[in-house]
Amino acid sequence: MAGAWRCTLVVVTLMCVCLWGSTEAVGGARSRPRPQRRHPKKPKVNPIDVTPTAQNINIQQMTGIWYLLNTASKCSHLMNHGTKVEPTVVNFSLASDQILSVSTKTRLNHQCWEILQHYYLTPTPGRLTLKGARPELNTDIVIGETDYNSMAILYYQKRGKITMKLYGRSVDNLSEPMLTKFEQLTEKQDLGLAYIFPFPTYSHCGEVDRDHVINCVPTC
Ligand SMILES: *[C@@H]1O[C@H](CO)[C@@H](O)[C@H](O)[C@H]1NC(C)=O
Ligand SMILES: CC(=O)N[C@H]1CO[C@H](CO)[C@@H](O)[C@@H]1O
């Protein structure tokens, strides 16, 4: 995840694109005007199917600190740089009854960055939306499974591609059964072992300089 961001804050856009090397075309493709279609085709994307494990999520209990322990993804950035993932810690807090505010701290080029995002709650408990520049760039997020005090498995779906993340309340929470569970669930999404990237469980960022606080969306 650490590598896969697309940043929107103008001031830092250049820096971000450099640092986080978007896998999508950031420059040319966006500025070139596209011919307007009158009936744009909706992309055929099936909502994430986590039915067998779906639980009635209490979002309030999800708040607080979570350490990213594992990511499963076919995202090209991870595939290319998966061995260089950086320690990543998130802080969920409820900004309103509609918005889960998400702060992600991670390191790049030996510096700590804090990335701020809003996940919008949907009428379905445990399902949230991270808005993209256009609706088809939205990320659908599902809290698939959690016990609130040790682990959480989240699904992120953007443009039909699924990324799964295993978080722990502490870096010591990663138990063998939990890992097995995660691997079973990733396999169901066609994300085998080759697509699972463990994250470092040490050297997480603490305080972050104010000028290192940015707004980004993940590219996958
Ligand atoms: C998490 O975010 C909340 C809300 O912004 C803040 O009050 C809290 O101090 C944060 N926790 C940590 C450990 O940074
Ligand atoms: C199940 C379990 O061991 N949960 C622990 C995970 O880590 C947090 C933070 O250290 C503990 O509070 C939990 O009890």
Side-chain angles (χ1 to χ4, degrees):
M1 179 170 102
W5 300 92
R6 180 201 195 117
C7 310
T8 49
L9 197 69
V10 177
V11 173
V12 292
T13 297
L14 263 182
M15 181 176 263
C16 265
V17 169
C18 281
L19 289 176
W20 275 288
S22 169
T23 51
E24 288 170 26
V26 172
R30 248 169 101 194
S31 51
R32 202 185 309 135
R34 294 239 190 99
Q36 285 283 324
R37 252 190 248 155
R38 214 185 284 165
H39 300 292
K41 264 192 203 162
K42 276 202 173 169
K44 272 185 206 154
V45 175
N46 298 321
I48 311 163
D49 178 17
V50 290
T51 330
T53 54
Q55 58 180 99
N56 210 356
I57 297 294
N58 177 338
I59 200 72
Q60 182 68 53
Q61 284 185 263
M62 282 298 295
T63 56
I65 297 293
W66 290 97
Y67 296 90
L68 180 59
L69 302 174
N70 255 299
T71 292
S73 179
K74 291 182 182 170
C75 169
S76 57
H77 188 94
L78 271 175
M79 300 296 290
N80 296 334
H81 305 282
T83 51
K84 287 196 296 185
V85 291
E86 294 286 344
T88 301
V89 56
V90 304
N91 181 1
F92 291 141
S93 58
L94 277 171
S96 72
D97 58 1
Q98 302 288 323
I99 295 174
L100 185 70
S101 172
V102 181
S103 143
T104 303
K105 288 179 182 170
T106 190
R107 194 174 278 110
L108 236 131
N109 295 339
H110 312 292
Q111 290 189 324
C112 283
W113 292 82
E114 180 174 13
I115 298 145
L116 300 178
Q117 300 173 314
H118 282 162
Y119 292 179
Y120 290 84
L121 275 59
T122 72
T124 312
R127 284 194 180 253
L128 308 105
T129 306
L130 172 62
K131 291 185 178 166
R134 302 189 301 274
E136 63 268 31
L137 295 178
N138 285 357
T139 305
D140 292 318
I141 298 155
V142 175
I143 303 166
E145 193 160 328
T146 185
D147 58 4
Y148 305 110
N149 60 26
S150 72
M151 59 83 95
I153 295 173
L154 271 69
Y155 296 69
Y156 299 77
Q157 185 178 49
K158 187 178 180 186
R159 299 191 137 185
K161 285 197 178 145
I162 287 187
T163 293
M164 291 175 64
K165 291 177 184 173
L166 171 65
Y167 295 95
R169 279 297 189 188
S170 89
V171 291
D172 306 321
N173 278 153
L174 183 60
S175 64
E176 202 56 47
M178 195 197 296
L179 202 54
T180 306
K181 166 117 243 174
F182 182 64
E183 286 170 4
Q184 282 167 353
L185 292 175
T186 55
E187 209 159 293
K188 280 193 193 154
Q189 302 296 335
D190 204 19
L191 294 164
L193 282 180
Y195 301 106
I196 296 183
F197 302 92
F199 275 65
T201 53
Y202 50 86
S203 302
H204 290 89
C205 291
E207 287 292 302
V208 169
D209 288 349
R210 272 188 62 165
D211 60 348
H212 281 182
V213 179
I214 50 179
N215 297 97
C216 284
V217 296
T219 55
C220 55

